[in-house]
Amino acid sequence: MSQARNEVLSHIRGLHTDFANTQAHSQWLQRFQQAPEAWGVVHELLTENNEEVVHHFAAHTLVTKLQAGDMPSQGSITQDLMGYLSNFWRGPASVRRQIVVAMIDSILWQEPDKDSPWLMSCLSKFTESMQALPCLLELLHAIPEESMNKKVVVPPARRSTFAVNMLQHTGSVFEALSKASQANEMCAYEALRAFARWLQLQQADPTLRAQKKTSAKVGGYSADVVARRVVHEHPLFQKASQIIANVKSSNIEMLRASADVMSEAHLLSTETSPQARAMLLVIVQAIVAASTQLWPELSQYTEKFMDPDCELATRAAIIGRLVSELGPAFHRIRIADGAEAVYTAQFPPTSPTEAMGALIEVALLFVTLRHISLSKCGVDFWYAVLGQHQGAAAEEDDPWQDSSQLSSDRRGFDPWGSDRDLEADLARRKAECQLLEDCIMKMVQASWKAVRYPAEPDQEEYLDWDEFVRYREVCSMNITEACIVVTPRKIIELIGEMLERICAQSPMAWQDLDACIFVLTGVASKAPAGQDTVIPRLIDLLPEFPYHTQGFKALLFRNSASRLVLFTSGYLALHPEPMKKILKFLTSNHLPAIPSLPVVPEKEAMKYSQALACDALKMVLTSARKIIVTADNGTMWPEVVTAVIPLVQDDRLFVDSKAQLIFGIGHILSMLEDWEKLEHMLDMFVSRMEQAVLPLLASLPPEPLGSRAQKTTSDKKAPPVLKLYIASVSSVYSMPPRDPTLPPADHHPVLAVVEKHFSIIEKVCLHHTQYDDLMEQLNMAVCYILGFAREYVPKSSIFVPLVRLLARCCEQHPQPFYMGLIKQCIGFFAPANAEDMNYMLVELTGLYIVPVVRHLNSANAVSAPIAGASYEMLAEAFRHYCLSLLAIRNSTWFADVLDATVTVLPRLCEESQAVYEKAITAAMRFLRNVLMWGDPQTSSNNPMPEFQELQQVAQAVIGETQLPNGVCLPRLVKAMIQILVATASNGILKSDVIPTLAEVLRTLLQGPFAFKAGQLLEEGLRSLPSPLSSIMRPSDIQSLLQSLRVDMSDAHRFTLAVLGVAEQFAVTLKRAQFSG
């Protein structure tokens, strides 16, 4: 044993000193922990060595083995652990902690009737002397945690029983904690932490869990310790409230522990009973007292931003966390008190109503603080109040519930309670609005103040622009939700009053105008369009606002103007005059001005500002395109297009922003009813964009470099002019249906333009395949063009050259989006069942899938995204009977692809399941589709001879045809078993592999191959290697097959049955791993 000990010591020391081989040492030690001989070595290390790192590893090994259920073969593990612990009463704390956890884990593997005696024995032993108190506190802190720890692989029912047995001694535990807390400051801290965990453990009470499940229908719930006033009268709870109330002088770690106590306590009740109110009142009074202490310092930070890491912020964050959690409780109390109760803030409060009024002011104060994390605490409080008002129920994770039962419960879980009486719920909310309206309006005003930028953002040391922008969106969500209580009209009127006051000032405060715009855009979508005067007034004033030209504020206020236009584009589409005014402002003033603004520290700010402005212009062009095309007797749209094109060609704008403008132009052109004029205008637009491309093309070599081509741009992205050119080609899409009164068109205008410019497009593509961003854009463009012109594509002479061009590009630099495009084409054209198109689609499918499958079965690697996209394409092709029949009957590639797929699937699962999951599931869907076409039930309602022929050839290729590696059926069944075992071995049970595998098995067992597949499945399960053979005895296999046949009619139950087998395999393999 000493040799093994010395080897372990060598690797432990190497782990902390030999940094070049850290991973190798770690892996060796992990393997050692799973070995049976580890028990003896651990005993030596814990009793004969003095190094802390060695002790820590030995104690951690105890925990690892006991959590996995790997018990020692001889001796009493409980006595051994107690002996180890006696050596470490004084520490080190990390070692003592691990041994205590191991003690609890060992008890979880013993009979439940030993739980109570064990706990009482520990309480007795650890309260005998002062030196044992750290062990006591460590034990009482760890018991609740380990009862919820799913790493301990005992059944959930055992965890639940253990927790309930522990709860029987809550009184004794609380008394022990109270006494221990009086020893010294450190014991008081540990006692508070343990007390918080035991409050959390009360959630395991079966009565409380039952109350929770029915609380939505029959009212709230309260834990027994709340109903009996045990919690809020307990000395530790009182101590925690005093520590919180003295926030400025209390130790920060003690504050955090006390906050944990408060947090766990209020979660134990959702009632408004006197007992629950008494406990909540103590918490609220402590929070109010703490906020009163901090207010003189915090009040300095409602305008300037606070240092996010200062001590004041740290202390306030602890109080803010409690505030954020009290929203639901405040809502319940406010509704229960009714209209008779008047909440007036008083500091310090002398009555419950004054305490609740003070809580409102504290929550509002947190909202207005210039510290993102602290402000979010107040925002979360009000969000919870609004959520409670709407009746949203939080879904809680129950660690003591069986996972299968939990999944079943979640399938029926509806956070909005759809099984409630809707009329009664509407009446409830209507009554609550009257009680909540006043405080919610205060929240809106506080939120308006919170979302204001500093007047001089450049001078704020602690302003994080990105974080503040995200925070504003969170506030906007709250303001939007507030509309259910106070109506959008009231919020708009409130902002209108503020707006008038701001506009009357000289100079106008830009940050206040920005906040008004921000709030209005958040609620505008909730209000009936055009029924207020505030938004029209704001739109009218927009071009006249004093826009700054220096500093960060210049860019921020321009963003605000863009945001207003973006959110009111629907209104502008209905009102031509304001729309014309805004379009002129955007094209002649707003957008040209933004690139000229000075550079700001935030490197992405200018890009964001341009994107927002261009998006606003595009949205107006899109929303108002019908009006623009017909306005001024058809003379307006050429002027608009003429005004936008120079912006597209402005080199100061980012390429992505200019692309938005290109599609805005496309939306205008798409509304032209005269297709000849549309084709002419699009041709002119593309030709104009082509001028910027020609110099670049002139510098290219005569022949493409193909796979040898390298990215030459500094950012490794395609030259912007090429991306804009491709965007212009595909800018016209989503055209309205052609007027039936017009003469029928013999071609599509967009296809005609593509054909006319194909030589340039081809050169752009073949010489730049190395730029994935450009090629992906090209594929998306082709997808849009073919999708919206699908009726004309089969007769167009450009389709074949276009897809062959893409195939050449893919051959040079393969990427998954090429296969994605073919999949889309199959979806577009296969339903039409045109013979020529069908042959083309089958040819394209084979062209892309064959090299991928060939490489998967060889040493040449194929990227997982490409493999996944290829099999997704193949599965889509075999979803259509016409393509399936052609591929099986006529193609030269199908048999090889089928054969190779069945061969490669098990290997992919065994070696790289997590990486190739998408490819594996798509390949199995392809196999299932082939099996389904062979099932007579698939074509039972369709007498077409093609279906009958497809059925015959599909059955033959699965069950009779001699493929390169043999007949498919027996290999397919074997492959499914191998995938099942591999998935269990990898522990990836929550992926889509098992459900998809279940679909294949179900199709096999209920179609024409049912009898033979059943026999093969039985043979395969009988041949499983050890240790799986121990749980797949002949009787077990027969029972499993019978269960699968019973569940055959229900796809969901069948999947659960297969998942159950995989889980059983996984547990068996894991236990075998730890037992050696």
Side-chain angles (χ1 to χ4, degrees), residues 308 400 650 714 740 992:
W400 301 284
D650 189 336
S714 58
D992 290 333

Side-chain angles (χ1 to χ4, degrees), residues 947-964:
F947 276 90
Q948 305 306 315
E949 184 180 4
L950 176 57
Q951 176 186 315
Q952 294 171 6
V953 296
Q955 289 183 12
V957 79
I958 293 294
E960 302 171 10
T961 304
Q962 192 69 27
L963 301 176

Side-chain angles (χ1 to χ4, degrees), residues 890-953:
N890 295 56
S891 73
T892 58
W893 56 263
F894 172 77
D896 290 337
V897 167
L898 176 65
D899 181 78
T901 298
V902 175
T903 301
V904 78
L905 272 178
R907 180 172 61 80
L908 286 181
C909 278
E910 291 166 2
E911 298 176 359
S912 309
Q913 179 175 333
V915 176
Y916 283 92
E917 180 184 339
K918 184 178 179 180
I920 293 166
T921 54
M924 287 196 289
R925 285 200 301 275
F926 153 65
L927 295 172
R928 181 206 59 189
N929 289 347
V930 177
L931 291 169
M932 287 180 64
W933 290 126
D935 187 350
Q937 191 64 33
T938 305
S939 57
S940 59
N941 296 324
N942 198 316
M944 291 174 57
E946 289 87 349
F947 276 90
Q948 305 306 315
E949 184 180 4
L950 176 57
Q951 176 186 315
Q952 294 171 6
V953 296

Side-chain angles (χ1 to χ4, degrees), residues 35 63 116 130 158 205 209 385 441 483 492 518 544 553-554 608 669 689 698 700 727 758 801 845 873 916 997 1040:
V63 173
S116 292
M130 282 289 295
R158 175 63 182 117
D205 183 356
R209 292 168 66 194
V385 171
M441 283 300 290
C483 293
I492 291 174
F518 185 82
E544 302 170 14
K553 60 187 176 183
Y608 173 80
L669 299 181
M689 298 300 297
L700 296 173
F758 184 71
T845 303
M873 171 194 67
Y916 283 92
L997 181 146
L1040 171 62

Side-chain angles (χ1 to χ4, degrees), residues 642-754:
T642 302
V644 175
I645 288 179
L647 296 174
V648 175
Q649 297 178 320
D650 189 336
D651 292 335
R652 299 175 304 165
L653 292 177
F654 290 96
V655 60
D656 293 336
S657 300
K658 293 195 281 188
Q660 296 296 317
L661 301 182
I662 287 175
F663 288 114
I665 292 173
H667 281 299
I668 299 295
L669 299 181
S670 69
M671 296 306 299
L672 298 177
E673 292 185 350
D674 186 342
W675 277 19
E676 290 186 6
K677 183 180 291 186
L678 191 160
E679 181 180 335
H680 174 69
M681 291 302 300
L682 180 60
D683 179 33
M684 289 181 59
F685 180 39
V686 172
S687 298
R688 187 162 177 180
M689 298 300 297
E690 203 171 87
Q691 297 306 308
V693 175
L694 294 177
L696 190 150
L697 297 183
S699 63
L700 296 173
E703 293 297 327
L705 298 178
S707 58
R708 295 179 290 112
Q710 299 294 319
K711 298 175 181 178
T712 58
T713 54
S714 58
D715 59 358
K716 303 303 180 183
K717 294 183 179 180
V721 293
L722 300 181
K723 300 181 73 172
L724 294 176
Y725 176 67
I726 297 299
S728 68
V729 173
S730 60
S731 61
V732 175
Y733 61 93
S734 191
M735 297 162 59
R738 185 168 170 78
D739 188 343
T741 63
L742 294 174
D746 60 352
H747 67 278
H748 195 279
V750 178
L751 292 175
V753 172
V754 172

